[in-house]
Amino acid sequence: MTEYGRGPGPEPWHPEDPQYGDQGWIGHEPQQGRMPYGGGPQQQYPQEPQYQDPQYQDPQYPEPQYQQQPHPQQYQQQPQQPTYGGGQVWDTGQGQYLEVPQTTDPYAGGVDPYAQQQPVAAYPGEAPDLYSTAEAYPPPQPPGRRRVATEPEEQWQDEETAEEADSFLAGGAGKGGDGDEPSGRRSGRSKDKPKKRSGTACLVAAVVIIGVVGGGGYYGYTYLKAKFGAAEDYAGEGTGSVSIDIPKGTGLGEMGRILKAHGVVASAQAFVDAAHVHPKGGAIQAGSYAMKEHMSGKAAVDLMANGAGLNALDVIPGWRNVQVYEAIDKRLKLKDGTTHDVATKEFKTLGLPDWANTNPKIKDPLEGFLYPARYDLKKEATPQTLLKEMVAKATQAYGNADLKAQAAKLNLENPLQLLTVASLVQAEGRYQHDFDKISRVVYNRLKPGNTETYGLLDFDSTVNYMKGQSTLDIGSVDELRKIDDPYNTYKIKGLPAGPIGNPGPDALKSALNPAPGPWYYFVSINEDETLFAVTNAEHNRNREKYEEERKKTGQ
């Protein structure tokens, strides 16, 4: 198909352009007459006769007739071709035509040099007629009637036809009344395709636009609600029971996502928002929690921040092993004595250090090695796993403190004795701020040549451990001195056979670093005051103050 004009507009380029005029449909450039200098006549070349379809004749633009030339080398003036309008050249595919201008250029001798050009036809057989079939495109139109197609299927049509095509939106059928093409004009559309368009395309376009706008609005609303609106949340304290494990190092956001994944809270953001306004929200610890389903963010934070829902076992500093065993049985819902039996039978497999259980008189080899800390009670928790974890924590803590080297510095026989001192400090010292001085009292009483207690510790705590009790009224001293037991410090000199409890890190620190001082006695009057004495007489006066304080408080 020919590109009319070869430019962005409907008109051809300037005649001096090498691509001026159409190049025809036969694959080679049409020949044009040579342009004479000074406006003189142009030399013409003969044209061979061309094949003409006898069945095709455009009623509006009759084809010019040419005389067949005897030989292509003979030259003969060709008949003048019809022109249109402004003297421009246009091409039908069978020859190029020049329209002679009606006005002359005064500077070119009164003759337009471009008007001298005459049509030159191709050689016979090289320019077939492309307009003789029903499927062919219409013949080229003069420049004044050309129109650039705006759609791939739209063909050249005059301005009047374009107005008819645009009028369908207003409900009309164009100037033809029923949408048919005006008589005497040809169109590139097939005759079986009406030019009148239905409103389906407009309806589809409207639906698409509404869908895009509506969808964008919905997602925009969802985004704004998620970013600035209140987070989705349940109401109330929840129901049922859910076990949740919060790993160590987990932040509030991840906690919220874990809770949401288990159906505890409606959204992670609800939990985070509640934690930010809770006084203890930022101190929620890792661990295993017993939660409920469908809890509000506030209810979940309240439960976790206060530790009430924490599904864990807290070993308190100073607890004896029997207390730890009972707590494990209770939390794991086991029969009473189950954990104690495991400890008695399997203590050698629980990971004790080599310096533990070196005294055959020790009542419980694990005493002092169930390190005070919080232990998660996961679903797979058993007495064995918990005891191993506690012993491992104790072994690590004592290894970091280097009890072997420190025991030698403190004139103790082994690390087990140092651990025993720490357990005594924990049991005797009611308040942490007294630990350093109480530690010094222990070491002073253990000194050889001690003339105040003569090597006896005389600690009520060891008697209570021996008897499995916890009381201030342990009986008379005379009766206690008759009891023969490796933990009765009223009878034996020196330290008991082993630890009497599980000391915490503060008591251990005080056992390693006792405060300097000459004290051999102490008594705690109240929470804020502990009285230390060097002599027994001074200690007796302090005891009187202690008795008076007990009468005031009703103890």
Side-chain angles (χ1 to χ4, degrees):
M1 180 176 176
T2 303
E3 299 177 0
Y4 299 109
R6 299 188 182 276
E11 297 299 326
W13 294 342
H14 195 277
E16 292 182 358
D17 192 301
Q19 298 298 322
Y20 173 75
D22 196 89
Q23 302 302 313
W25 293 273
I26 59 176
H28 66 274
E29 296 183 1
Q31 301 178 11
Q32 294 186 1
R34 299 180 181 273
M35 183 181 298
Y37 294 96
Q42 178 179 349
Q43 183 179 4
Q44 302 298 327
Y45 298 92
Q47 180 177 0
E48 293 294 337
Q50 182 175 348
Y51 172 76
Q52 176 67 37
D53 188 347
Q55 297 181 0
Y56 174 78
Q57 181 67 37
D58 193 310
Q60 296 186 29
Y61 312 109
E63 297 292 343
Q65 301 298 323
Y66 298 91
Q67 296 180 0
Q68 183 173 6
Q69 302 300 324
H71 193 277
Q73 295 181 354
Q74 298 180 6
Y75 302 95
Q76 180 176 334
Q77 181 71 27
Q78 301 298 327
Q80 180 66 37
Q81 306 303 326
T83 61
Y84 298 87
Q88 298 177 356
V89 177
W90 64 288
D91 185 9
T92 67
Q94 295 147 340
Q96 294 187 355
Y97 296 87
L98 174 66
E99 182 180 354
V100 179
Q102 298 177 359
T103 60
T104 59
D105 187 351
Y107 301 100
V111 179
D112 188 349
Y114 302 110
Q116 306 299 322
Q117 302 181 24
Q118 298 298 329
V120 178
Y123 290 104
E126 295 188 11
D129 185 1
L130 304 179
Y131 307 106
S132 60
T133 62
E135 295 81 5
Y137 288 99
Q141 302 293 324
R145 295 190 179 186
R146 294 179 182 175
R147 177 175 178 268
V148 179
T150 58
E151 297 181 4
E153 73 278 4
E154 189 173 354
Q155 305 300 324
W156 305 106
Q157 56 185 334
D158 57 22
E159 298 178 357
E160 182 178 0
T161 306
E163 292 177 359
E164 292 177 1
D166 295 336
S167 65
F168 83 97
L169 293 176
K175 294 183 180 182
D178 58 355
D180 295 334
E181 295 191 18
S183 61
R185 300 193 181 101
R186 299 185 63 184
S187 171
R189 297 179 181 273
S190 300
K191 292 183 178 181
D192 58 345
K193 293 184 179 179
K195 293 181 62 177
K196 181 177 179 180
R197 303 180 185 178
S198 67
T200 304
C202 296
L203 178 60
V204 173
V207 171
V208 172
I209 293 174
I210 293 174
V212 172
V213 173
Y218 171 76
Y219 285 108
Y221 167 78
T222 303
Y223 171 78
L224 293 176
K225 180 180 179 182
K227 189 171 184 64
F228 302 105
E232 185 179 359
D233 198 3
Y234 294 129
E237 301 296 325
T239 59
S241 178
V242 181
S243 180
I244 303 296
D245 293 326
I246 304 296
K248 293 181 179 180
T250 303
L252 289 176
E254 184 62 23
M255 287 184 188
R257 286 186 284 273
I258 293 174
L259 294 176
K260 181 181 183 301
H262 288 79
V264 176
V265 295
S267 65
Q269 192 61 45
F271 175 81
V272 173
D273 292 343
H276 285 163
V277 299
H278 195 284
K280 298 180 180 179
I284 297 177
Q285 299 182 14
S288 181
Y289 289 85
M291 309 294 290
K292 297 180 180 180
E293 294 181 346
H294 295 179
M295 301 179 71
S296 67
K298 181 180 181 303
V301 171
D302 289 341
L303 191 64
M304 298 177 71
N306 295 324
L310 187 62
N311 190 20
L313 173 63
D314 288 328
V315 176
I316 307 302
W319 270 14
R320 303 171 189 165
N321 279 7
V322 292
Q323 293 175 281
V324 179
Y325 300 152
E326 291 174 359
I328 293 176
D329 289 343
K330 183 178 180 180
R331 296 305 300 271
L332 296 183
K333 298 179 181 181
L334 301 174
K335 182 181 178 180
D336 291 346
T338 299
T339 304
H340 182 274
D341 292 342
V342 171
T344 302
K345 297 176 182 179
E346 302 181 17
F347 72 91
K348 293 182 179 180
T349 64
L350 298 179
L352 289 171
D354 57 359
W355 48 267
N357 195 32
T358 54
N359 191 331
K361 296 180 179 180
I362 291 177
K363 295 184 179 295
D364 186 346
L366 296 180
E367 195 74 69
F369 292 94
L370 304 183
Y371 196 76
R374 172 169 290 177
Y375 299 92
D376 296 335
L377 298 180
K378 300 179 181 179
K379 295 180 180 179
E380 63 273 16
T382 63
Q384 289 89 342
T385 60
L386 288 174
L387 292 175
K388 282 184 178 181
E389 186 176 0
M390 294 174 185
V391 172
K393 281 184 177 294
T395 302
Q396 181 180 4
Y398 302 154
N400 293 340
D402 195 7
L403 293 193
K404 288 184 178 182
Q406 295 298 324
K409 291 181 180 179
L410 294 169
N411 297 320
L412 298 174
E413 295 178 4
N414 52 56
L416 184 62
Q417 285 192 338
L418 180 53
L419 182 58
T420 302
V421 172
S423 68
L424 294 174
V425 171
Q426 184 75 65
E428 290 288 333
R430 296 181 60 184
Y431 312 109
Q432 182 177 337
H433 55 79
D434 296 328
F435 283 174
D436 292 350
K437 288 184 177 181
I438 293 175
S439 177
R440 173 50 60 190
V441 170
V442 173
Y443 286 116
N444 285 343
R445 289 188 180 187
L446 292 177
K447 285 181 178 180
N450 165 23
T451 58
E452 289 292 331
T453 62
Y454 299 97
L456 295 173
L457 291 179
D458 287 345
F459 281 169
D460 295 351
S461 58
T462 60
V463 175
N464 283 328
Y465 181 83
M466 176 187 66
K467 293 183 176 183
Q469 64 184 21
S470 180
T471 178
L472 295 176
D473 298 324
I474 60 173
S476 66
V477 174
D478 292 339
E479 292 294 328
L480 290 175
R481 297 200 188 278
K482 296 178 181 179
I483 301 174
D484 189 10
D485 189 280
Y487 286 85
N488 183 9
T489 56
Y490 279 90
K491 170 101 177 151
I492 65 171
K493 293 183 177 180
L495 294 169
I500 62 173
N502 295 283
D506 293 327
L508 180 62
K509 181 180 178 181
S510 294
L512 294 172
N513 301 281
W519 312 292
Y520 285 91
Y521 307 94
F522 66 93
V523 58
S524 295
I525 302 300
N526 52 48
E527 182 177 354
D528 299 326
E529 185 177 12
T530 299
L531 302 178
F532 291 85
V534 177
T535 63
N536 188 46
E538 183 182 2
H539 176 60
N540 288 333
R541 292 193 293 270
N542 291 338
R543 286 184 58 85
E544 292 177 1
K545 294 180 181 179
Y546 166 72
E547 294 296 338
E548 293 177 359
E549 188 68 21
R550 290 186 62 186
K551 292 179 181 179
K552 292 180 182 180
T553 58
Q555 295 181 359

